[in-house]
Amino acid sequence: SYVLTQPPSVSVAPGKTAMITCGGDNIGSQNVHWYQQRPGQAPVLVVFDDDDRPSGIPERFSGSKSGNTATLTVSRVEAGDEADYYCQVWDTSSDHQVFGGGTKLTVL
Amino acid sequence: EVQLMQSGGGFVQPGGSLRLSCSTSGFTFGNHVMKWVRQAPGKGLEWVAYISSGSVTVHYADFAKGRFTISRDNAKNLLLLQMQSLRVEDTAVYYCAREPENSGCSDYWGQGALVTVS
């Protein structure tokens, strides 16, 4: 089955840039989506189709891909960005939706 | 305003059954793929099931095949998940989620329903 690999945790100081990676075989051919989940809340879509932002999501959130890795970048990090972040693709070979294991972003 | 309101969670013994509902409003329900996603306590997100807009196509995670059934009633703007033969490891918060018309992401989510199998 298809696997997406994320680092368990990323720490960053306020005002700095956080980069959360998501690795998977041939991820370049997949549309990658990113979600933010604060404790006790439902996930919120922050980036879809690799690098698009839903309305209402700050421009500080951006997505990119290179090789077998997709990256969510959070610029000018704020305390309110502290949350778990998940990447997601639809694996067409199995017709299964796949989530990465999640990355806890800690704002120092 | 798009809204997904869930109901039906609760306690159930192993081997039992439970039905989750997701009542929607604020959009044309029949135009959208819908999904169920779950999250075990302290764990990550896990996809459960997918249903196409007209119910023609359904897909299940391996753990859900043969035990869970996703369905929808487009006339009532309602998404359902019937779960049977429940196991302790099915304990989780279950979310319904909408897929937008031109992307495989999930842009709106329900508030979640806790299912405890014990």
Side-chain angles (χ1 to χ4, degrees):
Chain A
S1 60
Y2 193 78
V3 175
L4 293 174
T5 302
Q6 297 183 236
S9 62
V10 168
S11 299
V12 63
K16 301 299 185 183
T17 297
M19 299 179 75
I20 298 172
T21 58
C22 174
D25 286 342
N26 202 29
I27 202 171
S29 66
Q30 313 261 21
N31 285 327
V32 181
H33 319 295
W34 291 92
Y35 303 88
Q36 175 194 71
Q37 187 182 33
R38 296 189 174 100
Q41 297 186 18
V44 172
L45 180 69
V46 293
V47 166
F48 67 98
D49 293 352
D50 300 338
D51 56 9
D52 278 328
R53 253 186 329 275
S55 61
I57 299 301
E59 291 183 6
R60 301 185 298 104
F61 290 83
S62 63
S64 62
K65 270 191 326 191
S66 179
N68 282 333
T69 302
T71 301
L72 174 69
T73 300
V74 187
S75 304
R76 302 180 299 283
V77 166
E78 303 172 357
D81 298 331
E82 191 162 280
D84 294 323
Y85 291 84
Y86 297 89
C87 58
Q88 176 247 306
V89 302
W90 180 267
D91 177 26
T92 54
S93 66
S94 63
D95 282 330
H96 280 36
Q97 180 164 300
V98 180
F99 286 100
T103 298
K104 180 175 180 59
L105 176 64
T106 298
V107 181
L108 300 171
Chain B
E1 179 191 5
V2 173
Q3 290 192 338
L4 286 70
M5 292 297 297
Q6 297 183 229
S7 60
F11 284 89
V12 62
Q13 292 184 339
S17 300
L18 206 60
R19 189 178 79 164
L20 302 181
S21 298
C22 176
S23 180
T24 72
S25 61
F27 66 101
T28 304
F29 180 70
N31 287 354
H32 290 264
V33 165
M34 298 295 294
K35 300 171 185 174
W36 289 96
V37 174
R38 73 181 185 180
Q39 187 170 36
K43 302 296 185 183
L45 300 174
E46 183 175 40
W47 170 72
V48 177
Y50 161 115
I51 187 166
S52 63
S53 57
S55 302
V56 172
T57 302
V58 295
H59 298 297
Y60 295 97
D62 293 346
F63 66 81
K65 283 180 185 174
R67 300 190 301 127
F68 294 5
T69 302
I70 187 173
S71 62
R72 64 191 296 161
D73 185 334
N74 286 351
K76 295 181 179 178
N77 299 327
L78 187 64
L79 176 72
L80 299 171
L81 184 68
Q82 179 69 44
M83 302 183 291
Q84 57 188 33
S85 303
L86 283 163
R87 307 165 180 163
V88 170
E89 55 265 36
D90 294 319
T91 295
V93 174
Y94 286 73
Y95 296 99
C96 59
R98 185 189 88 158
E99 184 176 292
E101 293 187 43
N102 54 1
S103 173
C105 65
S106 297
D107 60 350
Y108 286 92
W109 296 65
Q111 81 277 20
L114 177 60
V115 173
T116 303
V117 185
S118 178

